[in-house]
Amino acid sequence: MDTIARIKEQIATNPVLIYMKGTPDQPMCGFSAKAVTCLKEVGEPFAYVNILQDPEIRAELPKYADWPTFPQLWVKGELIGGCDIVVEMHQAGELAELLKDIEWPEEA
């Protein structure tokens, strides 16, 4: 599967997905740390992709998304934005509102 196909599949199968540097428990940059803190504070489930472990996604996702930086938060197949947008939405209560009724696919 080529990289763009993998990105599309990840976005399609994870209703809330953050592409970040590191993991939620060990973010590897301040921007990823801030964004993931907001997601954790909302308390709804989310998936992540550590772009440091996948250089192809790190290289291709900015072109696919037309968004040059990481982290990138995707909700229901739509790019929400990066760290600043996630933080602003969280502070305004919009992030919790966006994530509250997300349905995850059943595990097979």
Side-chain angles (χ1 to χ4, degrees), residues 42-81:
V42 168
E44 298 292 341
F46 64 93
Y48 74 93
V49 173
N50 178 357
I51 61 155
L52 298 178
Q53 291 184 332
D54 200 326
E56 291 153 351
I57 287 182
R58 185 178 185 178
E60 293 300 320
L61 184 60
K63 294 179 247 179
Y64 173 75
D66 197 23
W67 190 269
T69 59
F70 294 97
Q72 290 186 17
L73 177 63
W74 292 76
V75 177
K76 295 194 263 182
E78 181 180 333
L79 175 62
I80 302 304

Side-chain angles (χ1 to χ4, degrees), residues 14-20 23-25 32-33 35-49 73-75 95 99 102 104:
N14 294 289
V16 181
L17 176 63
I18 186 165
Y19 288 92
M20 62 181 292
T23 68
D25 292 330
S32 290
V36 99
T37 296
C38 293
L39 288 170
K40 285 181 172 182
E41 287 177 2
V42 168
E44 298 292 341
F46 64 93
Y48 74 93
V49 173
L73 177 63
W74 292 76
V75 177
L95 188 61
L99 301 182
I102 301 284
W104 286 78

